[in-house]
Amino acid sequence: MMYDTDMDFMRLAFAEARKAAEEEETPIGAVVVKDGKVIAAAHNKREAWRDIAAHAELIAVREAEKLLGDWRLSGCTVYITLEPCPMCAGALLAARVSRVVYGAKDPVAGAFGTVLNLPRYPLGSAPAVTAGVMEEECRTLLQDFFRTRRK
């Protein structure tokens, strides 16, 4: 299936985030796109897998690498509902992702400009970054999830 806009792909990442919420995982979703097609999609699985590295974007990147048969993801765009943390940002840079699009900023651990700006360091690549796609929806999903969990 072909898509043409950042909103279309972010809606798919958002659907993954909603799956995470249904599984009582932190609601973050990600999709990897190459040549206008989704090649991988994932959501957080830290609780289910009991794995600190089971973040949506890392799972999606691993799926994309397997599909492409290469760890280099140049030519790929990764859509994520929340700004990547330092661990995920480093992995995206190391994978040579060409573009990163995210929804909500992360005021606690955002590493694509909010708290840190890892792409400005020479760590393998400097992807183009687009922030704020479906920002309100992504932020609200996270806020509602944590508000419910804290009751």
Side-chain angles (χ1 to χ4, degrees):
M1 186 178 285
M2 293 288 285
Y3 298 88
D4 6 75
T5 69
D6 285 346
M7 286 293 292
D8 290 330
F9 293 121
M10 188 58 78
R11 282 186 192 105
L12 297 174
F14 188 78
E16 286 291 327
R18 291 180 64 128
K19 288 179 192 175
E22 291 167 9
E23 296 171 13
E24 298 189 21
E25 297 277 356
T26 301
I28 300 169
V31 296
V32 181
V33 175
K34 185 169 177 86
D35 299 326
K37 295 180 183 174
V38 175
I39 62 169
H43 54 274
N44 273 14
K45 293 279 193 180
R46 284 193 326 176
E47 300 301 328
W49 293 0
R50 300 195 187 291
D51 179 355
I52 191 66
H55 288 203
E57 55 270 54
L58 292 183
I59 297 167
V61 161
R62 287 178 185 143
E63 287 180 15
E65 291 169 341
K66 286 178 189 170
L67 180 77
L68 297 175
D70 195 350
W71 61 267
R72 294 169 194 84
L73 298 182
S74 53
C76 292
T77 299
V78 180
Y79 292 82
I80 315 154
T81 57
L82 182 67
E83 179 180 7
C85 70
M87 174 179 67
C88 294
L92 294 169
L93 296 175
R96 300 180 185 163
V97 167
S98 295
R99 185 167 177 241
V100 173
V101 179
Y102 68 85
K105 292 181 178 183
D106 184 346
V108 175
F112 267 66
T114 301
V115 177
L116 302 170
N117 191 0
L118 287 184
R120 71 180 272 254
Y121 297 99
L123 299 174
S125 71
V129 178
T130 301
V133 177
M134 290 182 59
E135 182 173 10
E136 185 175 333
E137 296 94 325
C138 294
R139 182 179 52 249
T140 299
L141 181 63
L142 282 158
Q143 288 172 339
D144 290 349
F145 175 79
F146 286 113
R147 190 175 300 116
T148 302
R149 302 228 355 146
R150 291 181 177 130
K151 283 185 178 177

